[in-house]
Amino acid sequence: MENLEDFSAIDIVTFVTEELQQNYRKSNANKTKVFEEFLERWDANDSSIAKVKSLQFEFEPDLDWFNVSRPLTLAGLRGKIVVLDFFTYCCINCMHVLPELRALEERFPVESGLVVVGVHSPKFENERTAANILSAAQRYGIKHPIVNDSKSALWRALSIRCWPSLLVLSPSGLPMLLLMGEGHGAFLHDFVGAALSIFGRQQKINTFSLPLQLSTDLHPASNLRFPAKIAMFNDSYAIADAGNNRVLVVTTSGVVEYKIGGLEAGFVDGNLNTARFNNPQGVAFLDKDTLIVADTDNHALRQISLKSGAVETLAGTGYQGNDRTGGKQGPLQPISSPWDVSVFRTRDMDMSFHVDELNVPEKPIVLIAMAGTHQIWGYFPEGIIWWKFRKFEPRCCVSLIGNGLEENRNNSYPQNAAFAQPSGLAMSNDYLFIADSESSSIRKASMVDGKVMPVVGGDRNPLNLFAFGDEDGKLYNAKLQHPLGVAFNHIDRKLYVADTYNHKIKVIDTDTNIISTLVIRNKDNSILALREPSGICVDAEGNRLLVADTNNHTIHIIDLATCTAQPFLLDFKQISSTSETDAPATSLRGIGAQLVKTIPLLQHKGSTINFLMRLSSDLKFTTDAPQKWTMKIINPALEMKQTCGKLTEGKCSLHLRHLENISSETVSEANQTVLVIEFALSLCDAKSCLMKKFTVSIVSERPVEDSPLPPSVTGGDNTLNADIGIYINQSNISLC
């Protein structure tokens, strides 16, 4: 190993982390041994890591804490493996890490020896405020402790460089790993499992609990929770009620006509009552009866048909993708955190002869703000030939603008341009206006050739993503702070902006690229106090503005002539409450079906579970598409070396081991769910390719003494073999 004595402590941790990850990837068999050798280094007298062992740090006193009844200290967490998540709540990469941390906490609860602490280290001024962090924690469903390190003292003390960064501490408080960026979930899961086992055998793990207490705040009585984008078509509005995981369709007077989705998050296609979304941020009308939804945390593009009463997935697999090119059809194309959608219509450039050239029908293109990959994507409901006579197949989803780098780079060539977390879209006749949140700028892209140009905000230097503020003006002289919403007024050709972290609504003259702040007053002449507005919409006449006041859980309607606001009150009385039921959906496109099987896993030293998928005659597995399984929950008394994998010809086998050093109290409870496996299958019928996701829960029932095992369970030498067949047809799935 190379000599590291001349490096700083945090650089040493970074180096040994990269070295461990390389060895981890190279080791196909005994990864536990790789971790054991790594951890032995920290016990040895290794001079190259002496600086790390001498490093001392602690949370500053008198900081705001969330989700705990009293402040924590690192000294008080000795005996635990601690994961410090350095994050800032605006950051899309930080959001992507949260599901990985949530799965880690579910697998290794506090009492097992793991503690995750969010260290909020703000980028924007607005993110220093405790109330805003609390709202973000509620939006994201964060339940572990969070500290508001508003001056980034710990960040600077440890020389942390980027968001997100995960610093893993040993039970003695020693930094062992520094994982920068996203995508480390599987590695971190395996490392924590091995570290808990190794340190447990050394009796260095303490199982004490923490003073966890979910933080809440009071907000106005409302049927909305963190409302996001708003769309309009004639006499109807569509509202992405993100915190309630649903979409509302209301009249211009506020009467709720449709509630699509349920309060609980899920990924389920089906009818309007049983369909489920997960934090939908964006919404747009394709026509008066059809809505397109950016289902953000499901990493999917969804379609709602009000006429047929059905919800279907247009693109996305339910898992975060990292593809920056795209081109696959329908739900086979993985995407990453779509944040908004807009619809553009254009003529086909197929060079065909038309008798009436003035009345050639236009075809729709769904434009997507793909925040997760910093790009603008397109979904094509119909086949079309478009820019530079490029052919787009029907139902394909593909990257259109942006190279995937996180920059504020304008360019005449769409694939050379770059965005920084595009989060809001608005169409004029020939331009797509983009709220580029992390560069704090508004930009536009030509729908003729994809050329990207500045409008207001940001900096001439494309790498400067810290050029934020609150200044009216022209082009780069103007300053915004993480804008999330834009709306184009086709009557006066002005662009309205939700300047989210400045808590203001602003307006841009699109001819001069000059932005100014609207001074909006309530009816009593007081200034309207917004809290992180993220959605904005102009009505059909261009006279009024609807604003989603996100952290106040309400919507305002603003008279543009007088700049006065009043609440846009929603009337839920004229709609049935059945749309908020949690009835399971089991249609082929339904994602969320749950199957339960009873097998006495905890009574055996080792177990093998063999899964077999049986399809009805009209279905088949999609060629070349991955068929995946993922372990979601496992009892602490069980160990599974492989936590995810692929099915081959509809089959997979899972191998489990019963850990002998687990207390009998942990495993003594009968009829408990000890294992949950999630399946994601890509299927085809005669007409289309479809995604099917469901879970199988294994319940461990303590068998009656001397009772035989069921016919599907056999084994010897206290080992078990269990076969589970699953039948899938067009209408449901079931055990067989």
Side-chain angles (χ1 to χ4, degrees):
M1 177 151 197
E2 87 175 55
N3 194 320
L4 301 175
E5 294 180 11
D6 295 332
F7 289 81
S8 69
I10 204 67
D11 285 336
I12 294 172
V13 176
T14 303
F15 183 90
V16 298
T17 299
E18 292 174 354
E19 184 182 56
L20 174 63
Q21 288 183 302
Q22 289 176 5
N23 293 335
Y24 171 85
R25 286 190 290 267
K26 292 177 183 177
S27 175
N28 296 321
N30 195 352
K31 296 185 184 296
T32 302
K33 185 178 180 181
V34 173
F35 294 135
E36 287 177 346
E37 292 174 350
F38 174 81
L39 294 175
E40 285 173 0
R41 269 193 78 203
W42 299 96
D43 289 332
N45 187 19
D46 190 334
S47 60
S48 66
I49 57 175
K51 285 184 180 179
V52 180
K53 292 184 176 182
S54 64
L55 193 61
Q56 296 183 2
F57 53 95
E58 183 56 271
F59 298 123
E60 286 198 333
D62 303 320
L63 297 179
D64 294 315
W65 282 84
F66 309 94
N67 296 335
V68 284
S69 58
R70 57 176 172 79
L72 303 180
T73 65
L74 291 173
L77 295 176
R78 296 291 190 266
K80 301 285 190 185
I81 291 177
V82 179
V83 177
L84 298 179
D85 174 24
F86 289 88
F87 78 109
T88 183
Y89 73 77
C90 68
C91 167
I92 191 67
N93 308 95
C94 300
M95 298 178 207
H96 289 165
V97 166
L98 292 175
E100 297 175 350
L101 294 178
R102 192 173 298 119
L104 191 69
E105 293 174 280
E106 290 174 354
R107 174 65 181 92
F108 307 108
V110 170
E111 290 73 20
S112 72
L114 173 72
V115 174
V116 177
V117 178
V119 184
H120 190 267
S121 310
K123 171 184 176 179
F124 292 100
E125 286 294 324
N126 179 70
E127 294 178 307
R128 300 181 189 275
T129 305
N132 297 336
I133 298 171
L134 176 56
S135 293
Q138 292 177 324
R139 281 201 307 274
Y140 304 154
I142 302 174
K143 297 181 180 180
H144 57 245
I146 301 173
V147 60
N148 177 17
D149 191 9
S150 60
K151 297 180 181 179
S152 300
L154 192 58
W155 170 290
R156 293 197 306 273
L158 292 169
S159 300
I160 301 298
R161 299 185 180 91
C162 70
W163 299 282
S165 289
L166 302 176
L167 186 66
V168 183
L169 309 182
S170 72
S172 62
L174 190 68
M176 297 186 294
L177 297 179
L178 179 60
L179 302 169
M180 293 182 281
E182 58 179 275
H184 302 288
F187 169 79
L188 185 60
H189 177 279
D190 289 350
F191 176 82
V192 169
L196 285 173
S197 178
I198 294 168
F199 286 124
R201 292 197 298 268
Q202 298 171 357
Q203 297 184 336
K204 294 180 179 180
I205 295 296
N206 198 315
T207 59
F208 62 82
S209 60
L210 292 180
L212 298 177
Q213 179 178 307
L214 204 61
S215 297
T216 60
D217 66 345
L218 298 176
H219 54 78
S222 169
N223 284 294
L224 298 171
R225 190 169 188 268
F226 299 111
K229 302 297 190 289
I230 307 171
M232 179 274 304
F233 193 96
N234 294 340
D235 57 352
S236 295
Y237 292 111
I239 302 167
D241 189 9
N244 283 324
N245 303 299
R246 66 185 181 183
V247 174
L248 304 177
V249 179
V250 307
T251 67
T252 53
S253 59
V255 176
V256 178
E257 296 182 307
Y258 299 94
K259 289 188 293 186
I260 306 105
L263 301 182
E264 293 299 320
F267 190 9
V268 183
D269 286 353
N271 62 48
L272 304 188
N273 291 346
T274 58
R276 292 294 179 265
F277 301 90
N278 191 353
N279 188 33
Q281 289 289 327
V283 64
F285 280 94
L286 188 63
D287 55 50
K288 67 182 181 66
D289 293 317
T290 309
L291 286 165
I292 306 297
V293 180
D295 193 5
T296 305
D297 284 2
N298 278 328
H299 307 286
L301 187 72
R302 315 285 294 280
Q303 177 173 285
I304 300 170
S305 173
L306 301 177
K307 188 173 183 179
S308 66
V311 176
E312 65 174 312
T313 299
L314 300 180
T317 64
Y319 294 98
Q320 179 194 342
N322 54 22
D323 186 355
R324 283 165 168 74
T325 303
K328 295 180 181 178
Q329 291 189 343
L332 298 180
Q333 176 60 56
I335 60 178
S336 179
S337 297
W339 213 271
D340 199 10
V341 284
S342 187
V343 177
F344 174 65
R345 288 178 169 81
T346 186
R347 293 171 55 171
D348 199 322
M349 299 175 65
D350 62 358
M351 307 298 290
S352 299
F353 173 75
H354 299 278
V355 175
D356 186 357
E357 288 288 342
L358 298 178
N359 291 299
V360 177
E362 294 182 328
K363 294 183 177 181
I365 301 170
V366 178
L367 300 168
I368 310 164
M370 204 69 75
T373 57
H374 313 290
Q375 295 172 302
I376 305 300
W377 282 49
Y379 174 81
F380 297 83
E382 306 173 37
I384 191 172
I385 296 176
W386 197 25
W387 289 342
K388 296 184 178 181
F389 298 98
R390 179 181 175 184
K391 184 178 181 180
F392 297 92
E393 297 294 337
R395 300 180 68 239
C396 77
C397 189
V398 61
S399 168
L400 296 176
I401 312 173
N403 56 23
L405 298 177
E406 188 175 7
E407 299 174 349
N408 178 18
R409 189 176 298 278
N410 301 301
N411 202 283
S412 296
Y413 298 94
Q415 291 303 324
N416 290 341
F419 297 96
Q421 203 171 310
S423 302
L425 302 178
M427 276 300 314
S428 67
N429 292 333
D430 296 317
Y431 289 101
L432 176 70
F433 289 94
I434 302 147
D436 199 34
S437 61
E438 281 294 279
S439 68
S440 295
S441 68
I442 306 299
R443 303 160 70 185
K444 66 180 180 181
S446 168
M447 290 294 97
V448 175
D449 55 11
K451 178 181 179 180
V452 179
M453 295 159 278
V455 179
V456 297
D459 190 81
R460 292 183 186 275
N461 178 359
L463 302 181
N464 182 7
L465 301 183
F466 288 80
F468 57 85
D470 186 8
E471 298 179 28
D472 292 347
K474 184 173 183 176
L475 284 170
Y476 298 112
N477 291 327
K479 290 293 176 278
L480 309 173
Q481 190 177 185
H482 200 76
L484 290 177
V486 282
F488 186 75
N489 191 333
H490 289 269
I491 305 301
D492 61 13
R493 297 190 56 78
K494 292 182 178 179
L495 184 74
Y496 293 87
V497 179
D499 191 2
T500 305
Y501 283 7
N502 282 325
H503 315 286
K504 294 180 178 180
I505 303 301
K506 300 183 178 181
V507 59
I508 299 173
D509 185 325
T510 56
D511 294 325
T512 63
N513 288 346
I514 294 176
I515 190 170
S516 56
T517 302
L518 293 181
V519 180
I520 305 170
R521 298 183 180 275
N522 295 304
K523 284 191 172 182
D524 62 3
N525 208 37
S526 62
I527 299 295
L528 178 65
L530 300 169
R531 286 188 61 206
E532 296 192 4
S534 64
I536 192 168
C537 178
V538 181
D539 73 355
E541 291 76 30
N543 298 326
R544 300 191 299 176
L545 198 65
L546 261 69
V547 175
D549 191 0
T550 302
N551 286 2
N552 281 327
H553 313 284
T554 193
I555 293 176
H556 305 284
I557 189 162
I558 298 164
D559 187 318
L560 292 174
T562 62
C563 268
T564 55
Q566 62 182 15
F568 184 66
L569 302 177
L570 301 183
D571 180 4
F572 285 81
K573 297 177 181 177
Q574 301 185 42
I575 187 172
S576 168
S577 62
T578 56
S579 63
E580 289 183 3
T581 64
D582 290 318
T586 56
S587 68
L588 182 63
R589 290 185 182 271
I591 301 181
Q594 299 177 357
L595 306 176
V596 180
K597 181 76 171 181
T598 300
I599 302 175
L601 293 179
L602 297 180
Q603 315 305 319
H604 299 268
K605 289 183 178 181
S607 303
T608 297
I609 305 177
N610 305 300
F611 288 95
L612 172 62
M613 306 296 157
R614 298 175 180 173
L615 307 182
S616 59
S617 59
D618 57 337
L619 295 177
K620 64 179 181 179
F621 292 105
T622 306
T623 304
D624 297 329
Q627 317 297 333
K628 301 178 181 179
W629 65 266
T630 305
M631 186 269 288
K632 305 299 290 185
I633 298 174
I634 188 170
N635 186 280
L638 298 174
E639 180 183 59
M640 204 162 67
K641 295 291 186 182
Q642 189 178 3
T643 58
C644 61
K646 297 180 180 180
L647 288 80
T648 302
E649 297 181 348
K651 301 176 183 179
C652 68
S653 295
L654 280 55
H655 306 285
L656 300 98
R657 184 171 69 92
H658 194 163
L659 300 177
E660 297 179 357
N661 59 341
I662 300 295
S663 169
S664 60
E665 295 179 359
T666 308
V667 301
S668 60
E669 183 178 348
N671 300 317
Q672 59 175 314
T673 299
V674 295
L675 182 66
V676 177
I677 303 297
E678 182 179 77
F679 291 93
L681 307 180
S682 297
L683 308 177
C684 287
D685 58 18
K687 298 180 180 179
S688 60
C689 294
L690 316 167
M691 170 62 68
K692 180 63 183 172
K693 187 189 291 185
F694 58 92
T695 61
V696 177
S697 299
I698 307 298
V699 175
S700 182
E701 181 184 50
R702 187 182 304 153
V704 178
E705 188 175 356
D706 298 329
S707 64
L709 294 174
S712 61
V713 178
T714 62
D717 299 325
N718 204 19
T719 61
L720 176 148
N721 261 298
D723 297 327
I724 299 179
I726 298 171
Y727 179 73
I728 305 174
N729 62 22
Q730 287 282 2
S731 60
N732 56 51
I733 58 175
S734 59
L735 295 171
C736 60

